[in-house]
């Protein structure tokens, strides 16, 4: 038997090409294209009173300048609000080019197309825009205070207000023997893929067709949006995703202004046009995430069991709302993690500020929710003097309670129902891995030496593999090679490897004979995109179903040819053979030849398939319920999300003098159902943890009061280097298969980053003896906190405000 | 992030470069390692009409060590100076500080003289030059002049060089007898500009008691700051309590806050790091006196590494 590939730590087939620099990213393409540069607002909030392009017209090599006045038809309308929701009370999106008002530094006002980017930037510099500055709204507090409005017709700066409640949380809290309140804050970070955004478009005036390449997480989404904006039928638009140098969420947003303006210019100018975003542009005009203020009230009993939980939070959505409420809805629902909260009420405002938009960044609202919940559980443990892991275990949903319905509506509009998971088993694994029970002794010994060490713990559940659907296409070539296509895109996940593993098992072929194409609308036009840890679940399942369809046809065609019953056939190493009679066999390529009745024999192999040779002469060569060729196309559309989970523990040491925070150990227990490729899953976890370390200890996006981003470069936005990431990340897996899809898999893409703010806050609190309630935290922040807490009995201080005695 | 247009000149000879600079003066920028200049050009924060590339002038590519100190040519890369055994022997503070300058790839290209001329108050080598009382040799069509470190740094990114002058050499005095040095800094990430950095120099008397203690600071003032801490620790044995140095230093600085650190945190680090480098330098000085370090032969002036 061919050994099973799913579950094997197969090396990524993508890597040799990428590692030797043979990747083809957006800016590697279109070397002869004209280039586009964008004039961006230097003001966070202003009226545009005049745009004077006169001086720019003198620049040699200038091809075109476009402002809002040059846009017409759908291009002159605001960009789409991609995901509508009934709770949105004032949904605002920007125009492709600002019409008369700008609402964040970096908003596009005009674009220049020139022979190259240098000249385009020269012309941008010479465009004179007159502004009437308006008061900017920066930060959640200012948005809540609403002394000034971002959008005049969005009162209170409120884009959306949403409440969900299960049971009567207020009553449950009031009746609880113990109560706490917490105020928590978490700041902005950003996806910051190494490759920024980029678009290349080419208009063929003969065929009236547009072909574009874009560094996106959804080529089909871009295709539909561009077709709508440019007034083209879908059939006239092709979108291809080349190698993508990271997405992490920011590239799911579409269409970016440049994604419609580049094809518009390419069509108008009759030549290829390209836009390659630079780093400063990415910081100020792409998207950020994470900024929230949270107020939590919790009631619990003496064992730490939560009886009622009420969470009120304020979410900074930036200047516009193109991606709807996905981030705060995920915070509000995934906050619950592996726990049963008793009665639960959550209420949030999604607020406008004069800053760049907020859209999903890996984790997509979960890091904030997990932070809220895990800080709360630590506070309960502190209040009751209980072991933090015990309080968590007390509140766990038990395996016997699966599937578990929280009674809430998730981000996909479907009920929040966990499909599977064994949280007590995961916690037991993590405690064993990190040496939880030995910790008190270790910490005491370290303290005796004047060292400050802390252990943090955080648990999460992640809804993955959201719908609506993905599709897969599997075709056997007459060479015996197998072509697989799915519509969603790849930006480093290793899809070519993982999907090939699935097909190898389904068809009984070698991975080496399989070629996987993603994100090319010419190959697969129906797709959603790569986000929400969904590619393996949705496309992986669809490809498996498509492969099974092909397999049935292989066996049918081969059965006819071999004069055997399909039930008696097996496929081993690319050969269809009769079970127990390996000599009676046929190569898959031959089956492919036979599946397509030919009039013309173009080579030796095809002679076997001409209409004189194959088929029953009493039937049409292609029968009524059949079609030529050996291919299958199928779709997977999940009923609901499948819920992965994990638990992280970190041990940190804080320097008593310099307040530097050093990671001593980082441990992960991860359950994403059946593992397709443990190497890829662990790589995903490593990458996520690295980003989590960044988000917890290094990265923040610092706006001043005028709405100017103070650190729009990799010099001052502190993405961690390899020197800041733990040298080793210890991982243990649990596999509780999902019952919702044919492979039993759950998503793994975002897992590593989700609990980081929570787990570091927990560890640093443990090391310092006072509660960390604002993340991220720098040594300077920690130093200031130490001064604030100096003189108090740090090791007995609770995280939370205590409720006055009744 | 593309530079605006500039003329590019790449003279082969020093004379030619000096003449060109005299001619182009205020409209020209000198390109050596380019580690700061090229990003400034790309971000259009600088837009000189002429770029004068000195990378072909071989006579500026040298590190020469003598009994009096280390001379570093304008084309010597950080990495070359960092690895120069002679320089390490004559003035060990150089390699200690250079190890903290950014990352190896930047040190492979960036030049020490270029970093000094750039006059970033967060850079290591300006502070080292000031602490050691070094100098910069500048040439113009009017001839040559030597500018002391104490007079070289006028403000952030502002030096005493005239627009027509080319800095051709930096001179770092040798480690005085019975002395030791140390360098420490705290940066947010490995290789970043320091939140606070301190270079220390301690000289001991024959009884291993401190006779001189001085420190140079980066990232806490508009120009590199040198503090004489001798009063705080004078006469104390090298392994005694030297923490008064830190107290004196943190009281003497008035740092600015930025997005990475509050002013108070920086002041606190000044104290902590001052103590660390003064203790480190004192111990090295003691080893110099009691150990075999003092007998190490110095290379001859002009000797190649």
């Amino acid at each position: 038997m061919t050994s099973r590939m799913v579950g094997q730590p197969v090396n990524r087939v993508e890597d040799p090409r990428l590692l030797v620099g043979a990747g083809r990213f957006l800016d590697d393409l279109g070397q002869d294209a004209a280039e586009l540069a964008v004039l961006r607002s230097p003001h966070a909030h202003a009226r545009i009173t005049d745009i004077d392009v006169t001086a720019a017209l003198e620049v040699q090599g200038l091809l075109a300048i476009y402002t809002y006045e040059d846009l017409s038809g759908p291009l002159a309308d605001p960009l789409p609000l991609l995901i509508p929701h009934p709770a949105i009370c004032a949904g605002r999106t920007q125009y492709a080019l600002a019409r008369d008002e700008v609402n964040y530094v970096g908003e596009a006002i005009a674009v220049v197309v020139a022979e190259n980017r240098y000249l385009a930037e020269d012309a941008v510099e010479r465009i004179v825009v007159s502004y009437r500055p308006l008061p900017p709204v920066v930060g959640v507090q200012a948005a809540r205070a609403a002394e000034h409005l971002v959008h005049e017709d969005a009162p209170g700066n409120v884009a959306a207000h949403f409440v969900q409640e299960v049971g009567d949380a207020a009553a449950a809290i009031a009746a609880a023997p113990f109560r706490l309140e917490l105020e928590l804050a978490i700041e902005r970070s950003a996806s910051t893929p190494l490759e920024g955004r980029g678009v290349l478009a080419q208009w063929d005036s003969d065929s009236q067709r547009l072909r574009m390449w874009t560094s996106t997480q959804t080529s089909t989404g871009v295709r539909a949006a561009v077709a709508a904006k440019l007034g083209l039928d879908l059939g006239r638009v092709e979108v291809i995703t080349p190698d993508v140098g990271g997405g992490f969420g920011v590239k799911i947003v579409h269409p970016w202004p440049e994604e419609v303006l580049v094809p518009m210019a390419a069509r108008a100018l009759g030549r290829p046009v390209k836009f390659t975003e630079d780093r400063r542009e990415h910081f100020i005009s792409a998207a950020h995430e994470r900024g929230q203020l949270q107020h939590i009230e919790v009631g619990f009993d003496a064992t730490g069991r939560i009886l009622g939980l009420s969470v009120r939070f304020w979410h900074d959505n930036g200047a516009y709302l193109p991606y709807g409420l996905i981030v705060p809805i995920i915070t509000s629902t995934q906050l619950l993690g592996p726990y049963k909260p008793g009665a639960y009420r959550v209420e949030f405002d999604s607020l406008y500020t004069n800053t760049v938009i907020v859209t999903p960044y890996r984790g997509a609202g979960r890091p904030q929710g997990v932070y809220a919940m895990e800080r709360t559980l630590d506070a309960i443990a502190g209040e009751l003097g209980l072991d933090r892991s015990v309080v968590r275990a007390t509140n766990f949903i038990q395996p016997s309670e699966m599937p578990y319905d929280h009674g809430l509506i998730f981000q996909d509009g479907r009920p929040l129902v966990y499909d599977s998971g064994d949280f007590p088993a995961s916690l037991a694994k993590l405690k064993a891995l990190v040496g939880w029970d030995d910790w008190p002794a270790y910490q005491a010994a370290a303290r005796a030496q004047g060292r400050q060490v802390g252990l943090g713990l955080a648990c999460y559940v992640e809804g993955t593999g959201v719908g609506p659907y993905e599709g897969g296409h599997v075709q056997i070539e007459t060479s015996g090679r197998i072509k697989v296509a799915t519509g969603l895109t790849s930006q480093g996940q290793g899809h070519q490897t993982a999907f090939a593993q699935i097909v190898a098992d389904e068809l009984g072929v070698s991975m080496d004979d399989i070629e996987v194409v993603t994100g090319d609308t010419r190959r697969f036009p129906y797709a959603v995109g790569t986000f929400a840890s969904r590619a393996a679940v949705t496309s992986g399942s669809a490809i498996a179903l498509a492969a099974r369809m092909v397999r049935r046809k292989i066996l049918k065609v081969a059965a006819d040819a071999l004069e055997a019953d399909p039930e008696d056939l097996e496929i081993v190493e690319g050969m269809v053979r009769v079970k127990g009679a390996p000599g009676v066999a046929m190569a898959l390529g031959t089956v492919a030849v036979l599946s397509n009745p030919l009039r013309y024999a173009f080579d030796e192999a095809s002679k076997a398939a001409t209409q004189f040779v194959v088929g029953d002469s009493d039937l049409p060569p292609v029968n009524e319920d059949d079609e030529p060729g050996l291919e299958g196309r199928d779709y997977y559309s999940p009923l609901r999300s499948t819920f992965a989970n994990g638990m992280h523990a970190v041990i940190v040491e804080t320097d008593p003098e310099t307040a530097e925070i050093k990671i001593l150990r980082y441990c992960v227990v991860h359950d994403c159902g059946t593992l397709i490729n443990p190497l890829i899953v662990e790589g995903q976890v490593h990458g996520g943890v690295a980003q989590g370390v960044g988000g917890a200890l290094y990265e923040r996006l610092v706006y001043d009061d005028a709405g100017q981003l103070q650190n729009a470069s990799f010099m001052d936005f502190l993405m961690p280097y390899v020197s800041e990431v733990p040298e080793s990340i210890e991982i243990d897996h649990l596999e509780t298969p999902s019952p919702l899809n044919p492979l039993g898999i759950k998503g793994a893409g975002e897992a590593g980053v989700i609990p980081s703010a929570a787990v570091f806050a927990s560890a640093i609190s443990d090391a310092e003896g006072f509660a960390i309630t604002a993340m991220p935290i720098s040594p300077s922040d920690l130093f200031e906190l130490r001064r604030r807490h100096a003189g108090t009995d740090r090791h007995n201080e609770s995280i939370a405000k205590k409720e006055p005695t009744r | 992030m593309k530079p605006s247009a500039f003329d590019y000149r790449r003279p082969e000879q020093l004379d030619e470069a000096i003449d060109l600079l005299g001619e182009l003066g205020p409209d020209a920028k000198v390109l050596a390692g380019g580690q700061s200049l090229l990003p400034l050009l790309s971000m259009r924060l600088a837009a000189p009409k002429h770029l004068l590339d000195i990378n072909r002038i071989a006579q500026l590519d040298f590190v020469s060590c003598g009994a009096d100190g280390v001379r570093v040519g304008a084309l010597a890369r950080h990495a070359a100076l960092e690895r120069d055994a002679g320089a390490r022997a004559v003035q060990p503070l150089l390699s200690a500080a250079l190890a903290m300058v950014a990352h190896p790839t930047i040190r492979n290209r960036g030049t020490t003289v270029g970093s000094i001329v750039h006059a970033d108050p967060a850079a290591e080598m300006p502070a080292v030059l000031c602490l050691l009382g070094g100098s910069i040799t500048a040439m113009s069509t009017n001839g040559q002049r030597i500018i002391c470190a104490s007079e070289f740094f006028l403000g952030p990114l502002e030096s005493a060089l005239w627009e027509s002058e080319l800095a051709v050499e930096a001179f770092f005095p040798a480690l005085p007898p019975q002395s030791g040095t140390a360098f420490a800094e705290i940066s947010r990430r490995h290789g970043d500009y320091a939140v606070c950095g301190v270079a220390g120099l301690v000289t001991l008397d024959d009884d291993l008691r401190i006779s001189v203690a001085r420190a140079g600071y980066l990232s806490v003032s508009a120009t590199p700051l040198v503090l004489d801490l001798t009063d705080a620790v004078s006469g104390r044995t090298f392994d005694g309590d030297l923490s008064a140095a830190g107290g004196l230093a943190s009281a003497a600085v008035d740092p600015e806050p930025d997005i990475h650190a509050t002013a108070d945190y920086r002041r606190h680090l000044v104290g902590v790091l001052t103590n660390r480098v003064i203790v480190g330098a004192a111990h090295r000085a003691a080893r110099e006196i009691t150990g075999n370090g003092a007998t190490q032969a110095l290379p001859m002036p002009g000797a190649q590494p």
Side-chain angles (χ1 to χ4, degrees), chain A residues 273-351:
Chain A
V273 175
K274 180 164 79 169
F275 165 72
T276 308
E277 182 186 56
D278 69 32
R279 186 53 57 185
R280 179 173 158 74
E281 289 182 296
H282 189 77
F283 275 110
I284 65 170
S285 68
H288 301 164
E289 219 237 82
R290 305 274 200 261
Q292 284 182 2
L293 295 178
Q294 304 166 335
H295 175 83
I296 298 156
E297 294 176 51
V298 62
F300 49 100
D301 68 16
T303 68
R305 177 178 298 281
I306 296 175
L307 304 172
L309 176 66
S310 180
V311 177
R312 176 84 170 95
F313 71 94
W314 295 266
H315 172 80
D316 173 1
N317 62 231
Y320 300 104
L321 201 67
Y323 212 73
L325 300 180
I326 294 302
V327 173
I329 288 179
I330 292 178
T331 301
S332 69
T333 47
Q334 298 264 267
L335 184 148
L336 296 174
Y339 311 110
K340 290 178 285 189
Y344 175 57
R345 181 180 195 276
V346 62
E347 175 179 5
F348 69 78
D349 284 319
S350 189
L351 298 168

Side-chain angles (χ1 to χ4, degrees), chain B residues 146-230:
Chain B
I146 293 175
I147 311 163
C148 312
S150 59
E151 291 165 9
F152 188 76
F153 301 99
L154 303 182
L157 310 185
E158 191 186 355
S159 80
L161 273 189
W162 300 329
E163 282 163 339
S164 60
E165 274 183 326
L166 179 67
V168 293
E169 180 184 306
F171 172 68
F172 296 93
L175 185 67
Q178 310 206 145
S179 299
T181 57
F183 192 93
E185 70 176 40
I186 301 282
S187 59
R188 288 292 280 113
R189 295 171 300 187
H190 180 80
D192 280 352
Y193 278 120
V195 172
C196 174
V198 188
L201 172 66
V202 169
T203 303
L204 302 180
D205 63 18
D206 293 340
D207 298 330
L208 304 182
R209 290 175 187 278
I210 291 176
S211 60
V212 176
R214 287 156 42 83
Y217 296 85
L218 45 133
S219 297
V220 295
S221 48
T223 56
L225 177 73
V226 176
L227 294 177
D228 189 332
L229 306 169
T230 310

Side-chain angles (χ1 to χ4, degrees), chain A residues 215-546:
Chain A
S215 188
T216 186
Q217 293 175 227
T218 172
S219 50
T220 46
V222 172
R223 182 191 191 208
V226 167
K229 281 292 183 188
L230 268 60
L232 294 167
D233 286 340
L234 264 190
R236 294 198 181 280
V237 181
E238 298 167 350
V239 177
I240 303 156
T241 313
D243 283 322
V244 174
F248 309 113
V250 66
K251 292 177 185 173
I252 192 60
V253 181
H254 65 282
W256 292 101
E258 297 85 353
E259 274 174 334
V260 295
L261 296 170
V262 165
M264 177 195 80
R267 183 168 64 170
L269 299 172
R271 59 181 286 185
V273 175
K274 180 164 79 169
F275 165 72
T276 308
E277 182 186 56
D278 69 32
R279 186 53 57 185
R280 179 173 158 74
E281 289 182 296
H282 189 77
F283 275 110
I284 65 170
S285 68
H288 301 164
E289 219 237 82
R290 305 274 200 261
Q292 284 182 2
L293 295 178
Q294 304 166 335
H295 175 83
I296 298 156
E297 294 176 51
V298 62
F300 49 100
D301 68 16
T303 68
R305 177 178 298 281
I306 296 175
L307 304 172
L309 176 66
S310 180
V311 177
R312 176 84 170 95
F313 71 94
W314 295 266
H315 172 80
D316 173 1
N317 62 231
Y320 300 104
L321 201 67
Y323 212 73
L325 300 180
I326 294 302
V327 173
I329 288 179
I330 292 178
T331 301
S332 69
T333 47
Q334 298 264 267
L335 184 148
L336 296 174
Y339 311 110
K340 290 178 285 189
Y344 175 57
R345 181 180 195 276
V346 62
E347 175 179 5
F348 69 78
D349 284 319
S350 189
L351 298 168
Y352 286 114
T353 59
N354 288 112
T355 56
V356 72
I357 56 171
V358 164
T359 63
Y361 158 38
R362 196 180 198 175
R366 292 177 191 86
Q368 300 94 311
V370 170
Y371 170 68
M373 189 70 190
E374 297 294 316
R375 291 279 70 207
T376 302
L377 289 162
D378 274 4
I380 293 170
E383 180 70 12
L384 297 174
L386 294 174
D387 180 294
R388 288 172 289 167
S389 71
V390 170
V391 171
R392 283 165 173 83
T394 300
N395 287 286
F396 276 158
I397 296 161
Q398 298 302 310
S400 59
E401 296 174 276
M402 296 291 175
Y404 186 84
D405 188 347
H406 275 290
L408 298 167
I409 301 298
F410 191 43
Q411 63 132 321
D412 53 1
R414 304 253 162 166
L416 182 71
V417 180
Y418 293 176
D419 50 331
S420 64
D422 187 342
F423 308 134
S426 289
L427 183 62
K429 271 180 178 281
L430 183 70
K431 287 173 73 171
L433 185 61
V434 76
W436 183 269
D437 294 333
D438 301 332
W439 175 251
Y442 177 85
Q443 188 179 40
R447 277 192 185 138
Q449 296 170 358
R451 295 172 57 204
Q452 291 181 202
V453 291
L455 168 62
L457 167 68
C459 311
Y460 69 92
V461 168
E462 181 197 359
T464 70
V466 296
Y469 71 89
E470 287 296 337
H473 179 248
V474 177
Q475 179 169 20
I476 318 288
E477 297 271 12
T478 53
S479 63
R481 292 185 57 80
I482 293 138
K483 298 293 194 298
V484 178
T486 188
L488 55 64
T489 60
S490 299
Q491 50 270 354
Q493 290 87 350
H495 292 156
Q496 273 123 2
T497 310
F499 295 157
Q501 286 176 263
I502 292 170
V503 173
D505 281 358
E506 296 293 342
L507 294 184
V509 297
S510 161
M511 273 183 69
D512 298 340
D513 290 328
I514 301 169
E515 176 195 301
V516 178
V517 169
T518 59
D520 184 339
T521 63
R522 298 171 302 182
R523 290 289 301 276
F524 206 99
Y526 291 98
V528 183
T530 300
F531 59 91
S533 306
R534 68 189 294 282
V537 176
T538 54
S539 277
S541 297
I543 288 168
L545 294 172

Side-chain angles (χ1 to χ4, degrees), chain A residues 117-118 121-122 125 278-280 655 657-658 660 697-698 702 710-711 714-719 721 723-724 778-780 783-784 787, chain B residues 1-5 42-44 103 185-193 259-266 268-269 272-273 275-276:
Chain A
R117 174 78 185 228
Y118 294 82
E121 289 191 20
D122 287 350
E125 271 190 339
D278 69 32
R279 186 53 57 185
R280 179 173 158 74
D655 188 303
E657 287 190 319
T658 63
E660 289 169 291
L697 302 180
Y698 295 96
V702 187
Q710 300 295 291
N711 57 340
F714 277 145
M715 193 167 88
D716 284 317
F717 177 82
L718 307 178
M719 181 190 280
Y721 302 129
S723 43
E724 280 63 51
S778 70
S780 180
F783 167 77
E784 298 295 341
R787 294 207 302 180
Chain B
M1 280 202 190
K2 303 291 182 197
S4 44
S42 289
M43 289 189 272
R44 298 198 176 204
H103 305 275
E185 70 176 40
I186 301 282
S187 59
R188 288 292 280 113
R189 295 171 300 187
H190 180 80
D192 280 352
Y193 278 120
I259 62 171
H260 302 303
T262 62
D264 285 345
Y265 178 58
R266 278 209 164 81
H268 171 76
L269 289 183
V272 171
L273 296 184
N275 287 336
R276 288 182 184 177

Side-chain angles (χ1 to χ4, degrees), chain A residues 30-46:
Chain A
Q31 292 305 303
D32 299 327
E35 291 199 80
L36 178 142
V38 185
L39 170 66
R40 300 187 182 281
S41 172
H43 294 283
H45 198 190

Side-chain angles (χ1 to χ4, degrees), chain A residues 587-707:
Chain A
L588 280 184
T590 309
V591 182
V593 169
L594 295 176
S595 71
N596 180 19
L598 295 171
R599 182 168 180 82
Y600 309 113
F602 47 84
D603 60 9
E604 279 305 312
S606 56
K607 284 180 185 168
T610 60
Q611 54 198 323
F612 300 101
V613 186
V614 296
D616 182 335
S617 58
D618 293 332
L619 292 173
V622 177
N623 212 350
E624 268 181 20
D625 56 351
D626 206 354
E627 55 187 39
L630 204 50
E631 57 185 309
R633 181 188 304 270
D634 206 348
Y635 295 85
Y636 170 73
S637 183
L639 180 63
R640 290 187 295 271
S641 295
T642 174
F643 289 82
N645 70 84
M647 305 186 181
H648 291 203
V650 66
I651 299 176
V652 301
E653 177 159 8
T654 58
D655 188 303
E657 287 190 319
T658 63
E660 289 169 291
I661 301 157
K662 188 175 164 192
I663 302 166
L664 301 183
R665 283 183 73 199
Y666 200 104
C667 299
V668 175
V669 169
H670 184 245
D671 183 353
C672 59
T674 305
L675 294 173
I676 301 171
N677 184 329
L679 193 65
I680 288 178
V681 171
E682 294 198 357
Q684 286 279 18
V685 171
H686 290 168
V689 168
Q691 278 187 314
V693 168
L697 302 180
Y698 295 96
E699 299 168 355
R700 50 173 35 124
L701 287 154
V702 187
Y703 280 98
D704 68 11
D705 292 342

